[in-house]
Amino acid sequence: MHEGVLKRNNVKVFGHGTQPMLFAHGFGCDQHMWRFLTPAFEDRYRIVLFDYVGSGKSDKTAYDPNRYGELTGYAQDVLDICEALQLTNTIFVGHSVSSMIGLLAAIQQPRYFDQLILIGPSPRYLNDQPGYFGGFEQADIDELLSLMDHNFIGWANSLAPAIMGNADRPGLGKELTDSFCSTDPVIMQQFARATLLSDNRRDLSYLQIPALILQCADDIIAPQPVGEYMHQHLPKSTLRYMKATGHCPHMSAPTETIELMDDYLTHAMVA
Amino acid sequence: MDDLVDQLPCGVILFTEAGYITQINATVEDHVGYTAAELEGQPFANLLSLASRLFYQTHIYPLLTLKGRVDEVALTLLSRSNQRTQILLNALCREVDGQRLIYCAYLPLDQRHLFEAELIQARKAAEQARQAVEESEARYRALAAELEERVAERTQELSIANSNLHYLNADLKRSNENLQQFAYVASHDLQEPLRKIQSFSDMLKTQYATELGEGTALLERMQLAASRMSMLIKDLLAFSRISTRQNTSSFVQLSTVINAVLIDLELALQEAHATVVIDQLPPVKGDPSQLGQLFQNLLSNALKFRRTSTDDNPISPRIRITVCQVAADDLPPAVVPARTAGMYHRIDVSDNGIGFDEKYVDRIFQVFQRLHGRSQYAGTGIGLAICAKVVTNHGGAITAHSRPGEGATFSVYLPV
């Protein structure tokens, strides 16, 4: 079972520390996105990287549409890894949707976790007027799904080789597959739906673990009011505004991200 | 930008790693309706639809950062007047004067985008059809397997039931054979001592009449009892023979059968001044001798149970035999023929005799059941049991209607 989980989620463990730092990638990418952060922590922590089932180099045959139709299925991936590696006192670092996945995992099994570091979190991406601005309308989600169709058009789903006549040009499908971190369009569209249609606002108050919220400037996916909403509803949360813009400060501004994380972890230790 | 780049029939955009536009060519100005001066320093993402920005942030930005380039990315460009243009974009990272810049070139693909959309729809439909076929095949296989299992179960049940039935049948046949053997042997062996009693009592009567004196009367009563017993045994034997099914597959003219019975009963009919009126009778499938016994018993009963008037004079029996056809659906509920058929002959034998209370109708067809004392009306109580047996052997049913003092009608139903 444990071996299976490590292979299934393409789990990588390294670093010289003892306290685990578990990095969970967001929708649309894989564990490679953490490469600018991990060098700053691997001397002091035990770094754990993985790909969600369906993303990166995970075992796609383990994909179960029922399990991964909701974020709880992905949270189970996180818990499976904690269980397999016998993690305790874990610092969970989640980007984007992985913030909510980590939240669900930590509510379900708090014993694995010490702190959550949430980069660009949002408990709900759809607007819920009046009173809640998530940033998106249903029509935007539909357009995204169609856009994904067009961007994954060459990717070989089960029928594609027959229809596209790719059988004698196997390289084509492979190239396109590698051009995105995430691969199977059907899986990715389901991940998109699970992510963008989720509503975890009611779950926030149940988190017992302290959490750091890193809020970027000009982030259309997790706008500032959403970060503030998170901070307001997460019982033991700290909110830090970043100079970095966009949705991926761990890639665009790794130094600032590392400083804020270190600052938080040092204070947490003192406290 | 220089003239060449401005004149290129594709959009060219340069922006910083943080996403802020530094340059665009004239083609982009045309597409989006902003001037280069207006766009400089603005976020590149502002030129995209919201969904495209989402896709850019989640898919394209990480790839550009990790791999330094993206190829053939479909996005939606948003113009100043909110017009949407589908584009295909290539981008790569270049380090210029210590600063990382993103170089983008894109082509609008409106017509091609529509073809693509059609292709995607067709592929999804094909995928759905394939899934539907797979599902229906799986369902078919599951149903077939279930059916097979059920058939196997049922077959086994039936085979067990069949073999049980087979044993029961064999048992029944054996016990029937034993019973007949017994009846035959019993009647034969019982008749023998009776004959002795009769012949020795005859000898006593003729040779020792004077010595016996009044004892002769006792002797005569003894003889009467013996001959009655002999009759009982004969009737029993007849009943046990009827129990075996005879050949009932050939047609028999009922009129011939009944005429023969009338000849047998001629003397009795004359003595009683009886009148018999008979309808035109149909042919029926059956055994002539059994059918003869049936009507012999019915007609004898009609003669035997005749009424006397208030002044104690016998009333002449009037017997009618009538025939009609009855559809299976119209049979009275109490009439359950031994064999299912669409149509039945109903043959009524009615008389003007003493009749009986209908509450006894089930009893009268059982062996040894009598409604009257022996002294009043002779008989062993087997006649109607034989009738019921014959009718059952012929796949029919028998019933009777009557009221005390108002005659009786016996209805025989035989399959057409």
Side-chain angles (χ1 to χ4, degrees):
Chain A
M1 157 74 184
H2 293 170
E3 281 298 308
V5 168
L6 301 184
K7 199 164 183 306
R8 182 190 72 185
N9 286 100
N10 188 28
V11 177
K12 301 276 190 273
V13 184
F14 57 94
H16 308 297
T18 48
Q19 186 176 18
M21 193 176 262
L22 173 61
F23 288 89
H25 68 81
F27 160 66
C29 205
D30 64 15
Q31 57 180 279
H32 287 107
M33 65 170 6
W34 299 112
R35 81 151 77 126
F36 306 106
L37 289 196
T38 50
F41 295 101
E42 62 183 88
D43 284 344
R44 294 168 286 149
Y45 295 94
R46 185 181 176 210
I47 308 291
V48 181
L49 301 180
F50 72 95
D51 297 329
Y52 286 114
V53 169
S55 298
K57 292 195 167 52
S58 64
D59 177 9
K60 309 233 173 15
T61 60
Y63 189 80
D64 171 2
N66 289 325
R67 169 167 168 160
Y68 298 105
E70 291 183 21
L71 295 185
T72 47
Y74 290 96
Q76 193 55 52
D77 272 16
V78 171
L79 294 175
D80 287 349
I81 293 162
C82 292
E83 164 74 20
L85 295 174
Q86 299 283 306
L87 302 184
T88 51
N89 305 106
T90 308
I91 299 160
F92 175 92
V93 185
H95 173 232
S96 193
V97 67
S98 270
S99 303
M100 283 308 114
I101 294 169
L103 174 100
L104 294 173
I107 290 171
Q108 204 183 322
Q109 297 283 352
R111 62 196 168 96
Y112 292 129
F113 304 99
D114 264 10
Q115 284 100 14
L116 304 188
I117 293 173
L118 312 177
I119 303 173
S122 170
R124 178 169 163 93
Y125 296 93
L126 285 179
N127 297 330
D128 194 0
Q129 299 292 5
Y132 184 84
F133 176 78
F136 299 91
E137 294 292 341
Q138 180 65 46
D140 300 317
I141 311 296
D142 294 342
E143 191 191 329
L144 175 77
L145 294 175
S146 154
L147 203 59
M148 290 175 74
D149 270 339
H150 284 270
N151 277 299
F152 291 108
I153 193 167
W155 194 83
N157 63 17
S158 55
L159 256 190
I163 287 186
M164 310 276 289
N166 270 354
D168 50 347
R169 288 169 64 202
L172 181 59
K174 181 87 170 69
E175 269 169 40
L176 284 162
T177 303
D178 285 349
S179 74
F180 291 108
C181 297
S182 48
T183 53
D184 188 311
V186 176
I187 293 178
M188 278 308 114
Q189 289 198 345
Q190 208 188 357
F191 195 8
R193 279 192 200 92
T195 300
L196 298 168
L197 302 179
S198 66
D199 185 353
N200 297 101
R201 286 176 292 176
R202 282 166 187 276
D203 297 313
L204 300 179
S205 64
Y206 293 104
L207 184 71
Q208 302 297 315
I209 312 293
L212 167 66
I213 300 161
L214 292 181
Q215 176 64 51
C216 286
D218 287 336
D219 184 354
I220 57 144
I221 298 178
Q224 190 171 316
V226 169
E228 283 159 2
Y229 182 96
M230 287 283 302
H231 178 47
Q232 210 179 327
H233 290 85
L234 273 184
K236 297 179 189 170
S237 64
T238 305
L239 173 64
R240 296 297 298 266
Y241 297 100
M242 300 185 72
K243 291 193 200 74
T245 55
H247 190 57
C248 304
H250 53 302
M251 300 175 88
S252 64
T255 314
E256 188 189 6
T257 310
I258 291 162
E259 275 170 16
L260 289 172
M261 283 171 66
D262 263 337
D263 189 47
Y264 177 73
L265 295 172
T266 316
H267 279 88
M269 219 146 63
V270 173
Chain B
M1 287 213 176
D2 60 41
D3 281 354
L4 175 65
V5 177
D6 270 339
Q7 284 163 29
L8 285 177
C10 67
V12 176
I13 306 174
L14 271 66
F15 56 89
T16 63
E17 199 181 12
Y20 296 103
I21 295 172
T22 59
Q23 289 187 67
I24 60 168
N25 72 351
T27 314
V28 178
E29 289 182 317
D30 261 9
H31 286 154
V32 298
Y34 296 103
T35 63
E38 282 176 305
L39 287 180
E40 201 180 318
Q42 293 300 309
F44 161 68
N46 283 3
L47 293 178
L48 300 175
S49 73
L50 198 52
S52 295
R53 286 189 223 177
L54 187 53
F55 191 70
Y56 176 81
Q57 290 288 346
T58 53
H59 287 76
I60 302 171
Y61 177 78
L63 212 59
L64 270 174
T65 312
L66 293 171
K67 296 197 175 165
R69 66 178 298 152
V70 291
D71 296 303
E72 294 184 52
V73 180
L75 291 171
T76 306
L77 209 61
L78 209 57
S79 79
R80 179 170 221 148
S81 55
N82 272 333
Q83 224 160 15
R84 287 159 177 265
T85 310
Q86 309 301 329
I87 60 166
L88 194 67
L89 174 138
N90 282 9
L92 53 83
C93 268
R94 279 274 165 79
E95 190 124 353
V96 181
D97 303 330
Q99 195 197 5
R100 275 161 72 89
L101 280 181
I102 317 291
Y103 288 68
C104 300
Y106 71 82
L107 284 173
L109 358 116
D110 282 337
Q111 203 55 41
R112 186 169 290 262
H113 183 84
L114 292 179
F115 292 150
E116 243 178 52
E118 276 174 26
L119 186 65
I120 290 164
Q121 281 314 313
R123 193 160 81 176
K124 281 187 174 171
E127 185 75 20
Q128 271 169 9
R130 187 184 62 86
Q131 262 172 18
V133 167
E134 267 178 17
E135 273 164 28
S136 93
E137 270 179 2
R139 206 161 44 235
Y140 166 78
R141 273 195 296 274
L143 280 177
E146 194 186 319
L147 193 65
E148 212 167 284
E149 199 178 318
R150 278 207 204 155
V151 167
E153 268 173 28
R154 195 83 190 98
T155 307
Q156 204 190 351
E157 280 171 21
L158 278 178
S159 130
I160 291 170
N162 251 344
S163 91
N164 283 346
L165 212 58
H166 177 77
Y167 284 122
L168 280 177
N169 254 341
D171 269 2
L172 206 60
K173 205 172 155 197
R174 204 162 39 242
S175 79
N176 255 342
E177 278 166 5
N178 287 344
L179 203 63
Q180 261 163 49
Q181 188 79 10
F182 170 77
Y184 183 78
V185 170
S187 56
H188 249 261
D189 292 1
L190 288 174
Q191 290 288 14
E192 187 50 35
L194 271 181
R195 264 198 295 280
K196 288 226 164 73
I197 292 170
Q198 276 172 326
S199 53
F200 284 124
S201 58
D202 273 349
M203 283 163 70
L204 265 180
K205 236 169 87 176
T206 48
Q207 293 176 24
Y208 302 96
T210 43
E211 285 89 336
L212 282 170
E214 287 187 357
T216 311
L218 291 174
L219 201 61
E220 277 169 355
R221 284 177 70 179
M222 195 179 80
Q223 279 186 313
L224 222 59
S227 79
R228 187 176 148 64
M229 183 162 176
S230 167
M231 202 158 72
L232 268 171
I233 290 169
K234 256 189 265 169
D235 282 357
L236 251 187
L237 190 63
F239 179 73
S240 81
R241 282 196 179 133
I242 293 284
S243 301
T244 44
R245 190 180 288 258
Q246 300 295 319
N247 178 23
T248 57
S249 63
S250 51
F251 275 101
V252 176
Q253 281 299 337
L254 270 188
S255 50
T256 315
V257 170
I258 289 180
N259 280 338
V261 171
L262 288 178
I263 289 167
D264 275 354
L265 294 176
E266 198 175 10
L267 199 63
L269 287 165
Q270 275 179 12
E271 280 174 4
H273 305 290
T275 52
V276 183
V277 182
I278 304 173
D279 273 6
Q280 182 85 37
L281 293 170
V284 296
K285 271 189 177 173
D287 177 71
S289 97
Q290 284 194 12
L291 289 170
Q293 290 188 64
L294 166 67
F295 287 103
Q296 169 105 34
N297 277 304
L298 289 179
L299 288 169
S300 310
N301 279 353
L303 274 179
K304 181 160 64 179
F305 296 106
R306 57 180 178 256
R307 208 149 37 101
T308 46
S309 59
T310 40
D311 54 2
D312 230 18
N313 286 322
I315 295 174
S316 304
R318 283 203 314 279
I319 305 170
R320 269 193 64 89
I321 302 183
T322 56
V323 183
C324 64
Q325 286 201 347
V326 185
D329 292 342
D330 299 332
L331 290 176
V335 173
V336 183
R339 198 171 75 231
T340 312
M343 268 311 216
Y344 294 88
H345 293 296
R346 182 178 126 188
I347 303 143
D348 284 351
V349 179
S350 34
D351 61 49
N352 58 341
I354 57 169
F356 61 89
D357 190 330
E358 255 185 45
K359 70 182 174 192
Y360 299 120
V361 75
D362 287 334
R363 259 175 69 184
I364 58 175
F365 295 107
Q366 290 169 16
V367 187
F368 298 138
Q369 292 292 332
R370 297 170 51 94
L371 299 183
H372 308 281
R374 256 202 334 270
S375 53
Q376 243 180 315
Y377 298 98
T380 55
I382 289 181
L384 284 177
I386 288 177
C387 290
K389 202 81 202 171
V390 169
V391 171
T392 303
N393 279 356
H394 285 72
I398 186 167
T399 184
H401 292 286
S402 181
R403 266 198 245 167
E406 294 182 14
T409 298
F410 285 82
S411 302
V412 172
Y413 295 85
L414 294 174
V416 172

